[in-house]
Amino acid sequence: MRLILLGPPGCGKGTQAKMLCRDARAEHVGTGDLLRDAIRRETSAGIEARREVDAGHLVPDEVVNLLIGERFGRGDRPSRFVMDGYPRTLPQAHAFDSILSGVGMALDGVVMMQVRDELIVNRVSGRWSCPKLGCKATYHIDSNPPARPGFCTDCGTGLVQRADDAPATVGERLVIYHRDTEPLVPHYEKAGILIRVDGEGDIGVVGLAIRQALATRGLL
Ligand SMILES: [Zn+2]
């Protein structure tokens, strides 16, 4: 099983990727973990990434590609994997295609979790969490509200919202997603490996839909 999981920010693809990897004994490949690992090992991608991060910059495409290239160039490269958060642009998708073909691998499928923008905004901007160390309970105003509005049910601390989850920020992230990541859909559709899945249900329902779609294609 060699997969990419695609979907808008806040669609829950990280959670789905983890569950899928656990069930299918595949490696969950996320750029955040790879980045931390490369920085610790001081690989050439790690050193370059470190320089960008220290300068307060986002890690550029080329460095992210280098990071992925290092991971798949190693002898212990994953033979079964689910990519989460990479590739997120068309140049990255092209780079990943050549990284894989360079080691004689091919993707089996690209799962596209489809969730409408309105739903993402509602889901993400309704998230609140408890800032108290050792509690960190999370809530959602619609699906999992605290007993007393604005306060943690477990410890009574006032709830806070992550800056990333503010409605304006979510809107910006969606704009970037439509502009930069959606062009991957026709790319993988042309390759005949795009698998569309309804991503609007709860975690369990969506997880089941993904498994069924993969099983239908003999990938699970
Ligand atoms: Zn709390």
Side-chain angles (χ1 to χ4, degrees):
M1 189 176 70
R2 295 165 182 168
L3 294 181
I4 293 173
L5 220 52
L6 278 183
C11 76
K13 61 179 178 303
T15 308
Q16 295 295 347
K18 277 186 200 118
M19 295 196 308
L20 206 54
C21 286
R22 197 191 48 210
D23 296 354
R25 292 197 197 87
E27 182 169 321
H28 178 213
V29 183
T31 47
D33 288 338
L34 281 186
L35 192 66
R36 280 183 287 277
D37 189 56
I39 289 176
R40 201 182 55 234
R41 291 166 180 256
E42 298 187 313
T43 67
S44 47
I47 291 166
E48 278 200 50
R50 178 86 195 241
R51 199 177 301 145
E52 300 289 341
V53 173
D54 285 348
H57 300 152
L58 283 175
V59 180
D61 257 23
E62 315 85 73
V63 179
V64 179
N65 291 334
L66 201 59
L67 205 63
I68 299 288
E70 280 181 352
R71 180 67 194 94
F72 282 88
R74 262 160 51 190
D76 68 342
R77 74 182 66 91
S79 60
R80 300 159 61 77
F81 58 82
V82 178
M83 305 300 293
D84 167 21
Y86 179 92
R88 64 169 79 233
T89 64
L90 205 49
Q92 285 185 352
H94 289 301
F96 193 41
D97 288 346
S98 47
I99 287 168
L100 288 180
S101 68
V103 292
M105 281 186 176
L107 286 168
D108 296 321
V110 177
V111 176
M112 169 68 183
M113 294 171 61
Q114 307 195 101
V115 184
R116 280 168 298 161
D117 283 7
E118 311 86 272
L119 217 77
I120 294 284
V121 173
N122 171 281
R123 235 189 239 174
V124 177
S125 61
R127 279 185 204 156
W128 290 82
S129 58
C130 175
K132 193 179 166 201
L133 280 173
C135 176
K136 300 271 176 190
T138 55
Y139 300 90
H140 189 281
I141 40 176
D142 299 326
S143 56
N144 178 31
R148 187 173 152 224
F151 297 90
C152 181
T153 307
D154 295 342
C155 72
T157 305
L159 300 176
V160 295
Q161 192 164 39
R162 286 176 36 197
D164 259 12
D165 292 346
T169 314
V170 179
E172 273 167 41
R173 289 164 69 201
L174 282 169
V175 168
I176 293 170
Y177 170 76
H178 290 302
R179 188 192 64 203
D180 295 347
T181 309
E182 237 163 38
L184 299 189
V185 170
H187 174 72
Y188 292 122
E189 206 156 39
K190 226 183 296 165
I193 53 172
L194 189 77
I195 305 166
R196 292 177 194 273
V197 171
D198 180 354
E200 296 198 349
D202 66 32
I203 293 174
V205 173
V206 174
L208 200 63
I210 293 175
R211 279 169 186 71
Q212 278 170 347
L214 294 174
T216 304
R217 288 163 180 80
L219 298 178
L220 199 68

